[in-house]
Amino acid sequence: MREPQQLLREKGLAVTVQRMAVLRAVRRNPHAPADVVAEAVRGEIGTISKQAVYDSLSLLSEKGLLRRIQPAGSAARYETRVGDNHHHLVCRDCGKMVDVDCALGETPCLHAADDAGFEIDEAEVVYWGRCPDCQKE
Amino acid sequence: MREPQQLLREKGLAVTVQRMAVLRAVRRNPHAPADVVAEAVRGEIGTISKQAVYDSLSLLSEKGLLRRIQPAGSAARYETRVGDNHHHLVCRDCGKMVDVDCALGETPCLHAADDAGFEIDEAEVVYWGRCPDCQKE
DNA sequence: TCAATTTCTTGACTGAGTCCAAATCTCGCT
DNA sequence: AGCGAGATTTGGACTCAGTCAAGAAATTGA
């Protein structure tokens, strides 16, 4: 697992304590929303502004160091597992999210039957259901 | 195409002018967000409160008369095409949304490889890309 | 080391949606 | 048709996630 500092350099981004801390925070908290990331960062470096958190998360997602997931009905979440086309399983009751590998192998597992002239760059899959804990209730 | 009034009755819901108008508004405006639905309803019956629009949309979605789609980065949208497991293609630039049929036929086209104990009830697929108009720019 | 540029901070602001209590309407019964 | 109970709608305040903008601070490259 590469050092945050090195990752930022490789992408040609300025290396700041905030960005490194955000990267580490997401690593420690997979599928965390922005406010949880902010808190985790504060635990590490003291303070960070809300804006810096949003800026970092957006930039890092754009550059491919993070992946942003935006399930219906909840705030955006982030993870460091990028570039492997995996999908997510979300609990309708508690919002818990877990990774699932693509059912059909490693390659992008979907192609639209009729693309209507669109230039498609991603097929996003979200499975909705209830997690084991919530089923008990 | 069934009458809104009849549809509501069949589901055991109270028949109100607001609900009928919301149903018709979504029919006329596929993939419209709540505020557009509200405006369309106002054009038909004069006034409706924001709350009644949200309540109706939620209730109708719950009862299977509407389908709610919540693409990342935009407000929830609604459509009357329900029960056929089709998916959506969304333009990253302008947000335009079009229907796509499932690539693998009519049956639910996905099963998670490992469901982690979840009780899965829906597999949602969103294709991201750029629409023909936005490609020109 | 220093200037130029990028990034971060602060605080106001927006948009989508929710909460709540009071007013109104719908439905089923007589 | 009229009535009452319960469901629905209204209006307004409020929350939450995220954005905007301007000045302060940090990073980078020379």
Side-chain angles (χ1 to χ4, degrees):
Chain A
M1 186 166 270
R2 295 273 236 335
E3 278 309 305
Q5 186 167 351
Q6 190 183 353
L7 292 171
L8 291 168
R9 285 249 163 70
E10 285 168 7
K11 298 289 179 181
L13 302 173
V15 177
T16 68
V17 287
Q18 290 85 350
R19 287 177 186 170
M20 291 189 292
V22 165
L23 220 30
R24 273 193 287 262
V26 176
R27 224 176 238 179
R28 274 184 271 121
N29 303 271
H31 308 141
D35 58 326
V36 170
V37 172
E39 269 319 300
V41 168
R42 290 191 185 110
E44 188 183 330
I45 64 168
T47 62
I48 189 172
S49 68
K50 182 169 64 152
Q51 194 58 46
V53 173
Y54 281 113
D55 285 353
S56 302
L57 290 172
S58 299
L59 182 71
L60 297 174
S61 301
E62 225 170 76
K63 295 295 181 176
L65 292 179
L66 292 181
R67 178 167 162 196
R68 170 190 274 136
I69 313 134
Q70 284 169 274
S74 85
R77 292 137 183 268
Y78 299 84
E79 64 183 359
T80 51
R81 189 176 158 190
V82 294
D84 69 344
N85 186 249
H86 70 277
H87 304 308
H88 296 97
L89 193 37
V90 186
C91 177
R92 284 193 195 279
D93 292 354
C94 69
K96 184 156 63 190
M97 183 183 284
V98 307
D99 289 342
V100 247
D101 290 308
C102 181
L104 306 181
E106 294 196 7
T107 49
C109 55
L110 293 166
H111 278 282
D114 168 14
D115 66 9
F118 276 56
E119 203 175 81
I120 298 177
D121 61 58
E122 188 187 345
E124 185 188 359
V125 182
V126 179
Y127 296 94
W128 292 92
R130 300 181 73 212
C131 74
D133 290 347
C134 290
Q135 281 173 49
K136 284 179 200 148
E137 282 147 34
Chain B
M1 185 166 272
R2 293 273 236 333
E3 278 309 305
Q5 183 166 354
Q6 191 185 350
L7 291 171
L8 291 168
R9 283 251 163 69
E10 285 168 6
K11 298 290 179 181
L13 302 174
V15 176
T16 69
V17 288
Q18 290 84 348
R19 286 176 185 171
M20 291 190 292
V22 164
L23 218 30
R24 273 194 286 262
V26 176
R27 224 175 238 181
R28 275 185 271 119
N29 303 272
H31 308 140
D35 59 325
V36 169
V37 172
E39 269 319 300
V41 169
R42 290 190 186 112
E44 190 184 329
I45 63 168
T47 63
I48 190 173
S49 69
K50 184 168 61 150
Q51 194 57 47
V53 173
Y54 281 113
D55 285 352
S56 302
L57 289 172
S58 299
L59 181 70
L60 297 174
S61 300
E62 225 170 76
K63 295 297 181 175
L65 293 179
L66 292 181
R67 178 165 162 199
R68 170 190 272 137
I69 313 135
Q70 284 168 274
S74 83
R77 292 137 183 267
Y78 299 84
E79 63 184 359
T80 50
R81 188 175 159 190
V82 294
D84 69 344
N85 186 248
H86 70 278
H87 304 309
H88 296 96
L89 191 38
V90 186
C91 177
R92 284 194 195 278
D93 292 354
C94 70
K96 183 157 64 193
M97 182 183 283
V98 306
D99 291 342
V100 246
D101 291 309
C102 182
L104 307 181
E106 294 195 8
T107 48
C109 56
L110 294 165
H111 278 281
D114 169 15
D115 66 8
F118 276 54
E119 204 175 80
I120 299 178
D121 60 58
E122 187 188 347
E124 183 189 0
V125 182
V126 179
Y127 296 94
W128 291 92
R130 300 181 73 212
C131 73
D133 290 347
C134 289
Q135 281 173 48
K136 285 181 200 145
E137 282 146 35

